[in-house]
Amino acid sequence: MQRFKNKFILVTGGTNGMGYATAEQFIKEGGNAIITGRSIETVHRALEQLGKNSYGFVSNTANMMDILLLQEKVKQYTPHIDVLFVNAGYAKFSSVEIADESHFDELFNMIVKGTFFTVQQILPLMSNGSSIVLNTSVVNEMGMLNFSVYSAAKAAVKSFIKTFTTEFTEKGIRVNGVSPGYIKTNGFNNTGLNPKQIEDVIKNVIPTIPLKRFGAPSEIAHAVLFLASDEASYIHGTELIVDGAFSVFK
Ligand SMILES: NC(=O)c1ccc[n+]([C@@H]2O[C@H](COP(=O)([O-])OP(=O)(O)OC[C@H]3O[C@@H](n4cnc5c(N)ncnc54)[C@H](OP(=O)(O)O)[C@@H]3O)[C@@H](O)[C@H]2O)c1
């Protein structure tokens, strides 16, 4: 399929995991992908692997200066963006008792402020027929232990899906969200858990997922590309849950 021939996607956090998988599939379908990441090393490695029709630069979504430079940097490659996948980020967990202000600010700056201002800055490059997909999480309305700040930040992203939909309808820009459950990525490396703790979490979580496995990044990429494609032309303001029914059985 070549659903995105000559189109441009901007994927924030496209060096790894779901963002990388989305950029990869977009290119396979005839498109061009611009990715961002936190370091020159991760961006270069990803661009080497993605090959032709991939572009990218360092941009920290928790840093307002970087976000304000996004538009100019994207314009080095294209004057317009057809698909914006706002994906950059990671989870961190803490009980309410020990969470400090830096934990709260880290997650809200990166996830809430980062998502809002990324969309604001890229919006002028988007026109009628283009599409935005925000990466939220099924935990945005679940009561998971130690997830209070992360879940609240992702709940704000869920809220943006609705408000952006209303605000951008007149511009002909569709807005949707993808809401992953447990996906096998490097995301756990940012959580502060050590490898043994990560292994234990995975072992404990798998029996609670009806499909008895973590999802693959490519399964999120398929959902993002569907939402961005013409096949989803009447899907606007929706959150697509991709979680092996994890949130259904909780
Ligand atoms: N994995 C899950 O189970 C799961 C479930 C629900 C939602 N999510 C969400 O899915 C998104 C992608 O996560 P993933 O699981 O695919 O993780 P991942 O494999 O660790 O990839 C995260 C990507 O985001 C980038 N990134 C992280 N912090 C950033 C920042 N401050 N500024 C710019 N880029 C940043 C990373 O860049 P570098 O490589 O340069 O660090 C990387 O490209 C996140 O928003 C996460 O909250 C994950």
Side-chain angles (χ1 to χ4, degrees):
M1 257 192 302
Q2 292 279 289
R3 289 178 295 182
F4 300 102
K5 201 155 181 50
N6 301 327
K7 305 244 184 219
F8 270 86
I9 190 172
L10 172 63
V11 181
T12 67
T15 62
N16 239 312
M18 304 176 214
Y20 179 87
T22 301
E24 190 179 34
Q25 286 189 23
F26 197 84
I27 292 169
K28 271 194 192 138
E29 293 210 27
N32 302 276
I34 304 173
I35 60 164
T36 68
R38 281 179 292 186
S39 74
I40 196 81
E41 290 78 20
T42 55
V43 172
H44 275 170
R45 199 200 53 231
L47 290 178
E48 253 175 48
Q49 289 166 6
L50 287 169
K52 207 166 159 261
N53 299 334
S54 70
Y55 312 89
F57 51 85
V58 173
S59 179
N60 184 344
T61 200
N63 180 329
M64 199 59 193
M65 274 315 294
D66 279 9
I67 296 180
L68 293 176
L69 289 171
L70 263 181
Q71 200 188 114
E72 278 318 303
K73 290 198 169 172
V74 167
K75 278 186 184 161
Q76 294 173 353
Y77 307 108
T78 173
H80 65 268
I81 288 295
D82 301 290
V83 181
L84 170 62
F85 181 33
V86 186
N87 164 76
Y90 50 81
K92 267 202 173 165
F93 313 113
S94 171
S95 68
V96 172
E97 276 111 327
I98 65 163
D100 58 13
E101 190 180 5
S102 71
H103 171 75
F104 192 97
D105 287 347
E106 179 180 351
L107 293 177
F108 267 69
N109 275 338
M110 175 178 67
I111 297 171
V112 185
K113 203 169 161 187
T115 299
F116 182 86
F117 287 104
T118 295
V119 171
Q120 181 201 66
Q121 291 303 306
I122 297 303
L123 196 59
L125 305 185
M126 302 187 78
S127 57
N128 202 326
S130 59
S131 166
I132 297 173
V133 181
L134 306 182
N135 197 346
T136 172
S137 167
V138 286
V139 302
N140 66 24
E141 51 180 34
M142 294 174 73
M144 305 270 289
L145 207 62
N146 298 329
F147 273 61
S148 54
V149 179
Y150 178 71
S151 296
K154 288 295 192 182
V157 175
K158 181 188 176 86
S159 171
F160 290 153
I161 297 167
K162 305 292 174 196
T163 47
F164 292 173
T165 294
T166 310
E167 208 162 318
F168 305 158
T169 294
E170 246 183 44
K171 297 181 192 295
I173 302 172
R174 285 187 305 105
V175 184
N176 290 292
V178 66
S179 199
Y182 281 101
I183 309 299
K184 201 160 187 261
T185 68
N186 291 331
F188 275 109
N189 298 344
N190 292 295
T191 55
L193 299 176
N194 65 42
K196 167 81 177 81
Q197 288 169 318
I198 294 174
E199 209 180 290
D200 286 347
V201 170
I202 292 174
K203 224 187 296 162
N204 291 333
V205 164
I206 285 179
T208 70
I209 305 172
L211 290 188
K212 301 289 179 249
R213 65 174 177 86
F214 273 43
S218 61
E219 290 173 302
I220 299 301
H222 286 305
V224 175
L225 262 61
F226 166 67
L227 289 171
S229 74
D230 289 344
E231 289 154 316
S233 52
Y234 202 52
I235 302 179
H236 185 32
T238 290
E239 182 190 11
L240 178 55
I241 293 175
V242 186
D243 72 341
F246 172 67
S247 57
V248 175
F249 277 51
K250 269 279 160 191

